[in-house]
Amino acid sequence: MATTLCTSRLQRDENILQMLNGSMMRKVKSKIWKKPRYFKLQDDCMTIWYDSKKTGHSKSSFSISDVEAIREGHQSEILQSLADEFPSSRCFTIVFRGRQGNLDLVASTPEEAHSWILGLHKLIENMKNMDLREKQDQWITDWFHKADKNKDGRMNFKEVRSLLKMMNTDMHELHALRLFQMADKSRSGTLEDDEFVLFYKMLTQREDVLKIFNEFSKDGNRMSLMEFVDFLQQKQLEQENTEDYAMDIIARYEPSNAAKKCHAITFDGFLLYLLSPDGSIFNPEHQNVYQDMTQPLCHYFLSSSHNTYLIADQLRGHSSIEGYIRALSRGCRCVELDCWDGPNGEPIVYHGHTLTSKIFFKDVASAISKYAFKVSEYPVILSIENHCSVEQQTVMAEILKQILGDKLLRSTIDGKIPTVLPSPEELKGKILLKAKKAGGLVDYQDGNTEEQYTGEVTDEEEGADLEEDGYRTDSKKKGKQKSKQHLSKELSDCVIYCKSVPFNSFRHSSAHYKVYEISSFSESKAKKLIKETCEEFIHHNTWQLSRVYPSGLRTDSSNINPQEMWNVGCQIVALNFQTAGEEMDLNDGRFSQNGHCGYVLKPSFLRNAESTFNSEQPDHKDGYHPQCFTVEIISGQQLPKVENSKEGSIVDPLVRVEIHGVPMDNACKETNYIDNNGFNPVWRKILDFTVHVPELALVRFVVEDYDKTSKNDFMGQYTLPFASIKEGYRHIHLLSKDGTKMSPSSLFVHIRITDLEI
């Protein structure tokens, strides 16, 4: 098969050879659980399986495509705890995409560890550099290996029937036999290498795309340059430098050199283009930072995490620095630290008054220092919930200064008291503290040391969200005056642009607060303000930062709907990143634009203090321009199986399209379901929506397995900003519940967006 060349090239690498031969290493889960496992790279150079015995069968395996990173040495809490037993040179960690747990390994020798680390890096890089044709060849190879039950390198018809069920399709046996016999050129009764490739291509023949191709191709074999230009202009609505763009697409995706020479594109090249990022529903120009990053910090939405240290529930969950690493690696720009007095004068981070485990503040600071700017260079805010004594607050300050160094912002950027917040551009590479501060920047800049170092305890620290829901005791009702907390001068002085202050009213904030101060709102408080004083909330968010956090009643780490808060311009909407679901899909969708940098510029009507915008009545605002969004769900390709489904079961897929935005825009419509076909279902269903505020809207495509007796099962989804949608014939590449890619699963759609007359 085509991937053989790639595999042969890799097999000449000495580190890959070591992996192909296999190694006995220790798989480590805790200080006690350290068991030997035999790890071996399979001949496809894409799969690693491991077992307890060299001669045994595979018990578990993972694909290189599931690996996000390799960490050398003691770069996990478990391996750090075993530093005295296993030297750093023998240890490494395999980090998986999504929410799958990491794999901590200890090799027998430093040389063996080094070989696996280098080999894994090479395999990951090889995977990244594969073009679409190579990836398709790899998928074919993967299916061949899955179907070849007796591992004899060929497939009989019984194995093909089993394969079709694995591929999620209940094809009629006579039709399947006909395709099998057409592919069996050798008449041997089995399919080998190229015969299986032919069989796979017949299975995946795209009649929907062929119909479009033939509409523009005169001879049905290829499109000339101008025919392709016509398609791009008429169907894809590409208007700028279309001829040059067409030439570029042909150069990158056309597999036939003969077609390339005459600037034509064949059907294979046309399909590769439609499956590529250029044919995606997501505007490729938005994959880079394209927005103005020089506006005040309060003019942006920030990707934000709640109780970042938790990787499970809020009561008994495990606290881990892994929570910070994962959040920052996803572009999160505001992380939370709940800080408490720890043993031996060492501050700790955990969810206070619960059974969640504890981690040292210094370990969190080290993780943040290392990962803060790996995926985004724009500023990170540390939201400190401070429950520490003055002494341990001072220790916290020293730890931050020592570990973060120059990254920690300790003075205003120009030495002056700000009248507006600085921009993300001005704060590149900086880490800001959001915490209580004694006095203001005036006192700090003037060197005033007479101020008593106290600060008001914030609503979040007092559990105001529980109080609002009637879960507080009488002694802590609202009538009680806010308590004061003594503050360490050293820690207080590190708070520059994000001084935490309690919220009283918007009138009070406007009269008494500064631009560098920030209030936090429980979700119930924020919802109440949106309902009662929507326009005031929007105005407040044009000049000052607001943070919204989930109710304390969400002990299962469920999430709030961030869209409600974004609709009024709240910049920092803190979500439990460890919890997959619709809310995190919306967050991932919102921040998929602007280069995944974690900052998205708010629409102009949420930045302008004179704006008359009201999210409850958007049709009353100046510049109201509703749009009609028409999407035809044409077909699906190789949709995934439902998790934990019965062996041999085949899905009945349907597609739901959801609009998330201001209340007037919230809507969902769906297709019919297709019986027993997750491999290549065809719907051709047109769905129409009116979008009143396109600038705030998100579109979520959800694929589910229809069940007439119970709730439909989730299969995959994709969420993106309405403003990032490309019109025309587009593929939607589905993501799992964890937000990881599910190649080659996709939907094929046609999109049109038109202005509505008002």
Side-chain angles (χ1 to χ4, degrees), residues 581-583 585-586 629 631 633 654-661 665-670 687 689 691 697-704 714 716-720 722 725:
E582 180 181 301
E583 296 82 7
D585 292 344
L586 297 180
F629 174 54
V631 53
I633 308 295
L654 62 82
V655 179
R656 185 172 66 253
V657 180
E658 304 169 351
I659 309 294
H660 297 264
D665 283 340
N666 293 334
C668 68
K669 296 180 181 181
E670 61 186 37
L687 307 173
F689 300 88
V691 182
L698 295 167
V699 183
R700 183 171 182 252
F701 296 85
V702 187
V703 184
E704 291 182 339
F714 174 89
Q717 68 83 32
Y718 186 80
T719 308
L720 78 164
F722 184 80
I725 290 176

Side-chain angles (χ1 to χ4, degrees), residues 337-343 345-350 352-353 359-362 384-397 399-400 435-436 453-455 457 461 484-489 491-492:
L337 296 81
D338 284 5
C339 304
W340 299 78
D341 282 355
E346 287 260 20
I348 55 175
V349 173
Y350 87 111
H353 308 304
I359 50 179
F360 285 113
F361 180 83
K362 64 181 179 183
I384 305 285
E385 195 172 311
N386 180 6
H387 304 274
C388 291
S389 63
V390 172
E391 293 75 18
Q392 292 212 12
Q393 289 177 46
T394 302
V395 174
M396 286 167 58
I399 288 171
L400 291 171
K436 293 186 290 291
Y453 278 83
T454 61
V457 174
E461 289 163 338
K484 294 275 187 177
Q485 178 186 19
H486 289 285
L487 302 176
S488 153
K489 178 182 185 303
L491 186 62
S492 178

